[in-house]
Amino acid sequence: MNQIQFIGTTPQQLRNDINNDVKTQIDELKKCFQPKNPEELLSRSETAELLKINLSTLYLWTKKRKLKSYGLSGKVYYKRSEVESALIALND
């Protein structure tokens, strides 16, 4: 942080110094700012289609806690990021 000396400083110089410091801080924040992407929710059908399985298999995987489901207004959804992270890479 810069040291500001008030003696011999005009009000306009002080304003300019403050504005420059604020702009510098905002620019630093912009570099670090990562907007949060909204989580994509998939319906049961979309999830089953993504995984190329039928709805009964999806139900069993959910019941066995291989996948986590979320309820909203009586409907079941899955978070795409969690479905994708549940996939396991197989070594050939």
Side-chain angles (χ1 to χ4, degrees):
M1 187 172 194
N2 295 339
Q3 296 284 332
I4 297 176
Q5 188 172 4
F6 292 106
I7 300 172
T9 301
T10 67
Q12 186 60 44
Q13 288 172 326
L14 180 59
R15 244 188 312 259
N16 289 342
D17 287 343
I18 291 171
N19 284 339
N20 288 336
D21 285 345
V22 169
K23 285 179 185 177
T24 301
Q25 292 297 319
I26 289 173
D27 289 342
E28 287 298 315
L29 284 173
K30 283 181 183 178
K31 289 179 189 174
C32 300
F33 179 71
Q34 298 277 334
K36 187 173 182 180
N37 294 330
E39 181 71 49
E40 183 181 359
L41 296 177
L42 302 173
S43 68
R44 291 176 63 241
S45 299
E46 292 169 328
T47 304
E49 184 178 325
L50 177 68
L51 296 172
K52 308 287 191 245
I53 59 174
N54 61 36
L55 291 175
S56 60
T57 302
L58 180 62
Y59 172 79
L60 289 174
W61 287 3
T62 304
K63 191 167 179 85
K64 291 180 180 181
R65 297 186 180 187
K66 291 183 180 188
L67 294 173
K68 185 175 181 181
S69 64
Y70 299 87
L72 180 66
S73 302
K75 295 186 179 188
V76 177
Y77 295 96
Y78 296 84
K79 291 182 180 180
R80 177 183 280 277
S81 62
E82 291 179 359
V83 171
E84 290 174 348
S85 67
L87 298 174
I88 301 170
L90 299 176
N91 294 330
D92 291 330

